[in-house]
Structures are given as structure tokens and as C-alpha cells.
Amino acid sequence: MGPPALSRFGVDRSAHLRVDEAWRTHTPMNVLIIDEQARALVDETDAVPRLVFVDPADATPEFFLGVDSDDAAYSAAVVPLPRRIGTRPLGLREVGALLNDRDAGLLTHAVALANWHATHVRCPRCGAETEPALGGHVRRCVADGSEHFPRTDPAVIMLVHDGGDRCVLGRQPIWPPGMYSTLAGFVEPGEAAEVAVAREVLEEVGLHVTDVHFEASQPWPFPASLMLGFTARAIDDDITIDGSELDEARWFTRDELHRYVARGEVLPPPVSIAWRLITDWLAYG
């Protein structure tokens, strides 16, 4: 199976072109336009949806995204989206899993940068304004010259199983009725990801785990997470939810989950790495 939906890519980030803003003169240049709600204009006239790009004359590039194998460059700009027949504004949650590898990677990259820039307009050291540099991958303080880099918040997400035919899924009260997913939580300062897995599972469902294995990672720019996917084996059986994060959690058997999947129920959407962890466990154990 391929990488998680938002871990796919089809362009080289070409960081060397960020120096001295050399990327701005690269031709051809395709500009991905996104709005302040992190939506892009998506063309749905074909079987596979495609991102809409514009010329630099129509939207001044703000962030450099990279160069493809045909030497075409890609950038992004945050602007109001125009109305075009056959297109509509869609976000990563809605369309990320449906786009091709190139478009999924470009939109994920652009949304992550746009989210960071929107909330880091001032220097955390002195409070002065900052300005974008290095193709939007740095903000530089206009007063003290300090450089600040995009924030990434590591989070663990884990499929907990019993070593046999069952896994634990939980649900938050804000989710759609009937939807369950894997457990997850942020890595705390000074904490290893594997330790965070064990801590979060114990806190959320009262289970101790062992055999913690890393499976895959996926950016999740809502606004700045990097999801680190794991599996872990529970060494006890009784689930006790803490009541603060989960509304419910329980064991599911493989047969039970297969029936739910066949009916399009229970699972989180394919854009999430949770979907990948669950479907991998169903397919491979």
C-alpha cells in the first residue's frame, strides 16, 4: 500500500532556489491559489479532481513549493478564489485523498505554510513585525534580524490491538454519530514518541501497552501537526475512559469491522492516517 493520503508528493522542494529569492524568476511558474479558509479551487470536470493553477500575473506568488520533473515551478498565494465553471473551493479534508500525488503534496505544503504565516506576523523575541524570506519558509524580524521557522507539532496516533483479532477504537463527542477512530495525542516536551503512545493510551482508555511499532507519518496542517502513526499491543483488557476526551471506546473484532467497512460505517475518512492504520490492520494483521 502507498503512503498516507497527505504524505504523497510529486515535486522536488528545491530548497536551493529559495536562496536570494531565485525561485521567483523560474519559468514556467504555476501559482496555486488558496483562500483564508485554506481552500483551493478544484476542477471536478474529470474523473480525478485537479487543482487549478494561475499565472503569476494573476496572483503574485507568496510561497515557493518546488519544481517538478519537467522543470515547471510551483508556488502559492493566499487570495480570494474566483468563480469558474466546473470548479469549486475545497479543503484538504474534503479533497486531499482524491487528488493525485502531485496535487495532494502541493496543497498540503501550501496550507501548512499559509497557516503558519497567518499566525506568526510578529517576532516572539521583541514583538516587531516579521517578513517572509526564503520562499516563505522563514520569517525574519525587521528589528533584530532573527529568523523564525515554520512550527510543526508532533502527535502520536495509534492502533491498539490485543495481538490477535481485536483492536480498540474510540469516539469523541463532536464526531458524526457512529464514527470511531484510533487513539491519538500530542507529544509533550522532552518526551519520546514511543513513550507518548503508552502515556496517551493509558490516559484515554486505561490500558497498558507494549510492542510499540512505528508505521508511517503524515502531515496534518490543521493547523500544524505531524501525525506519527504507530501500532501497539495491549497487555490488559478492561477499558476505562477518562471522560474528558472520549465519549466512548471499545474493542472491535476484525469480522465486526469488515462488516462496518462494507456498509461505509465507523471508519474515519481516507484522508486521515487513522484510516490507513485501521485498514492496514484489517488487511495484514
Side-chain angles (χ1 to χ4, degrees):
M1 186 177 288
L6 302 188
S7 296
R8 297 174 295 145
F9 64 96
V11 302
D12 186 315
R13 294 199 172 198
S14 303
H16 64 284
L17 295 179
R18 301 172 192 168
V19 180
D20 298 326
E21 300 296 295
W23 63 276
R24 290 191 178 276
T25 60
H26 194 101
T27 55
M29 174 66 72
N30 304 286
V31 185
L32 171 62
I33 50 175
I34 58 176
D35 64 15
E36 292 183 347
Q37 287 75 50
R39 300 175 303 175
L41 205 58
V42 178
D43 186 331
E44 299 181 294
T45 56
D46 295 330
V48 177
R50 296 177 291 109
L51 295 179
V52 172
F53 300 92
V54 300
D55 188 88
D58 298 318
T60 302
E62 298 178 46
F63 319 132
F64 177 54
L65 303 178
V67 177
D68 67 17
S69 58
D70 295 323
D71 203 37
Y74 296 85
S75 59
V78 180
V79 297
L81 299 180
R83 292 188 177 184
R84 292 190 180 182
I85 296 175
T87 70
R88 61 173 173 149
L90 294 172
L92 271 175
R93 294 179 189 270
E94 301 163 292
V95 77
L98 304 176
L99 297 170
N100 62 31
D101 289 358
R102 183 202 68 180
D103 285 5
L106 289 171
L107 185 54
T108 303
H109 191 179
V111 168
L113 285 175
N115 286 344
W116 176 67
H117 281 280
T119 56
H120 290 75
V121 296
R122 292 197 172 272
C123 176
R125 296 175 58 179
C126 70
E129 291 185 0
T130 58
E131 57 185 12
L134 295 180
H137 291 75
V138 167
R139 289 193 73 91
R140 187 172 293 130
C141 178
V142 300
D144 63 24
S146 59
E147 294 186 340
H148 308 279
F149 296 84
R151 168 179 171 173
T152 299
D153 301 324
V156 291
I157 183 165
M158 44 277 178
L159 190 286
V160 178
H161 59 87
D162 66 354
D165 198 44
R166 300 183 304 162
C167 72
V168 175
L169 300 180
R171 58 170 282 100
Q172 296 182 11
I174 63 171
W175 290 350
M179 193 188 92
Y180 288 78
S181 187
T182 52
L183 308 178
F186 286 104
V187 179
E188 294 186 346
E191 184 178 46
E194 293 81 0
V195 175
V197 168
R199 175 183 55 77
E200 286 287 346
V201 174
L202 184 61
E203 289 177 359
E204 293 191 0
V205 295
L207 296 175
H208 296 83
V209 296
T210 188
D211 297 339
V212 177
H213 292 291
F214 175 75
E215 300 293 335
S217 65
Q218 170 169 280
W220 193 246
F222 306 111
S225 296
L226 175 64
M227 307 303 295
L228 308 173
F230 289 85
T231 57
R233 179 172 62 86
I235 58 177
D236 37 27
D237 195 69
D238 294 331
I239 292 174
T240 304
I241 62 172
D242 65 0
S244 64
E245 296 185 43
L246 296 179
D247 189 44
E248 183 185 355
R250 67 182 183 89
W251 290 101
F252 287 78
T253 66
R254 268 199 184 83
D255 286 344
E256 189 178 10
L257 277 180
H258 276 300
R259 291 195 298 271
Y260 282 127
V261 172
R263 299 198 298 260
E265 299 175 4
V266 173
L267 295 190
V271 73
S272 71
I273 193 173
W275 182 88
R276 165 69 181 273
L277 292 172
I278 296 169
T279 54
D280 275 7
W281 179 80
L282 285 173
Y284 309 117

